[in-house]
Amino acid sequence: MRRLVEFIRSIYVVVLFVLLELAAVSYYARATAYTEARLLARTNSMVGGLNKVVTDIGNFFRLGRENRALTSRIAILEEELARYREADAEGSLKVELRALGESKFRMTEAVVVSNTVGRAHNYITINRGGGDGVTNGMGLVTPDGAIAGYTVDYTEHYAVAVSILNPVFRGSGTPEGTNYQGAIRWDGKNPHFVILEGLSKYADPQPGQKILSTGFESYFPAGFLIGTVESAMLDEVGTTYTVRVRLAADLSAMDNLIVIENLDQQEVSELQQSEVIKNLEMN
């Protein structure tokens, strides 16, 4: 009992001060309607600020999951859009009806594990591999439909892709609204531009005109955005254009990508490498 009395005696000044402060605040709060409202507003402001901090922290940790879910949804929509592009390119009602039920392209989302833009040869690594159905020659596009690269090697859980910012990248592009096409390559200089070369003079590319994928490569459907015309120059004999294309994809800021699988790729590849073709090339 004596120790309890001594303890109370040692802290009674602090306790008395806190009680008096609470009484003063309570009296001040009830003195007028104005002071009561002001104190309530300040209290709500403090509580609201604390709640905002807690909410922001929660949103930060949920952001990655939401981005992946959004990219997955975009992949589904892009797959559906590819069906209509395929039908439109072939110009057949029969193909269009077929496209409503199936497509030769299947798409899924992936997260970028690593990516380079400042090297002579740039690559993209994603968190999808053989265990997820990823093989070589699958296209990668951004969630807004801009071309980024295509896979060239994979393990069980990861895959590496050649970036469009790589001299070994092979692709083709066509100015929107035309039937002319040229080869896409990176000249190793600016990570925001690629070159479209061998484009017919009749294409007459204009600044700002969109450059789209042709669909000639097995890894990209037709109609995906490569970039826009920055400038164009005719060659010395005036027959073909060399076009400087500003890339639509910001390859230095990629978090999520869409992987495109061409379900007909193996069949087409086997046909192109058939014995008949080899014999024709030998003769």
Side-chain angles (χ1 to χ4, degrees):
M1 179 62 71
R2 185 169 58 84
R3 289 183 178 180
L4 178 60
V5 172
E6 291 178 354
F7 175 73
I8 294 175
R9 183 181 300 173
S10 64
I11 66 169
Y12 85 94
V13 175
V14 176
V15 173
L16 182 61
F17 174 78
V18 171
L19 291 175
L20 289 174
E21 285 292 324
L22 290 174
V25 170
S26 178
Y27 175 78
Y28 173 77
R30 292 179 172 80
T32 64
Y34 169 76
T35 55
E36 185 174 1
R38 186 174 181 183
L39 186 62
L40 182 62
R42 292 294 177 86
T43 304
N44 288 340
S45 177
M46 292 177 59
V47 174
L50 182 60
N51 287 336
K52 184 177 184 301
V53 171
V54 174
T55 301
D56 288 345
I57 293 174
N59 289 339
F60 174 79
F61 287 105
R62 286 194 298 269
L63 187 60
R65 183 173 67 251
E66 292 174 355
N67 280 344
R68 288 191 293 273
L70 179 60
T71 305
S72 179
R73 176 59 180 164
I74 291 174
I76 295 172
L77 295 176
E78 286 287 1
E79 182 175 329
E80 184 174 340
L81 181 58
R83 297 173 184 171
Y84 293 100
R85 285 172 174 161
E86 181 184 349
D88 181 65
E90 298 191 23
S92 168
L93 178 60
K94 180 179 179 180
V95 174
E96 186 172 350
L97 293 175
R98 169 182 174 269
L100 293 175
E102 59 179 298
S103 171
K104 67 179 181 180
F105 294 102
R106 184 165 55 200
M107 305 184 189
T108 186
E109 56 84 23
V111 174
V112 176
V113 175
S114 66
N115 175 43
T116 61
V117 296
R119 300 179 181 177
H121 293 77
N122 295 292
Y123 295 90
I124 305 167
T125 304
I126 58 174
N127 70 336
R128 300 289 187 188
D132 306 296
V134 173
T135 59
N136 293 339
M138 290 188 178
L140 298 181
V141 299
T142 63
D144 54 355
I147 286 177
Y150 53 83
T151 58
V152 292
D153 198 8
Y154 63 94
T155 60
E156 182 69 12
H157 303 293
Y158 298 94
V160 173
V162 166
S163 168
I164 196 172
L165 299 179
N166 193 316
V168 304
F169 179 91
R170 295 293 179 265
S172 58
T174 177
E176 185 179 34
T178 76
N179 293 321
Y180 301 101
Q181 60 275 332
I184 292 289
R185 69 174 179 85
W186 186 52
D187 58 7
K189 297 177 181 179
N190 193 316
H192 299 291
F193 294 91
V194 293
I195 303 300
L196 174 65
E197 57 186 6
L199 184 67
S200 170
K201 65 178 181 179
Y202 300 109
D204 190 25
Q206 299 297 314
Q209 188 175 14
K210 292 181 179 179
I211 302 298
L212 308 176
S213 59
T214 62
F216 294 163
E217 295 81 24
S218 60
Y219 30 82
F220 294 119
F224 275 80
L225 184 61
I226 299 174
T228 55
V229 175
E230 182 78 6
S231 61
M233 181 180 297
L234 277 170
D235 62 7
E236 294 180 356
V237 294
T239 58
T240 60
Y241 277 104
T242 297
V243 183
R244 182 174 168 85
V245 179
R246 177 179 290 275
L247 287 172
D250 183 357
L251 293 157
S252 64
M254 295 189 303
D255 297 320
N256 301 282
L257 290 171
I258 295 172
V259 184
I260 304 175
E261 178 185 5
N262 185 347
L263 302 178
D264 292 345
Q265 181 177 6
Q266 183 175 356
E267 181 179 350
V268 172
S269 178
E270 290 176 354
L271 179 61
Q272 291 174 340
Q273 298 176 15
S274 68
E275 291 299 325
V276 174
I277 301 297
K278 291 179 180 179
N279 291 334
L280 288 174
E281 291 177 348
M282 292 176 62
N283 294 330

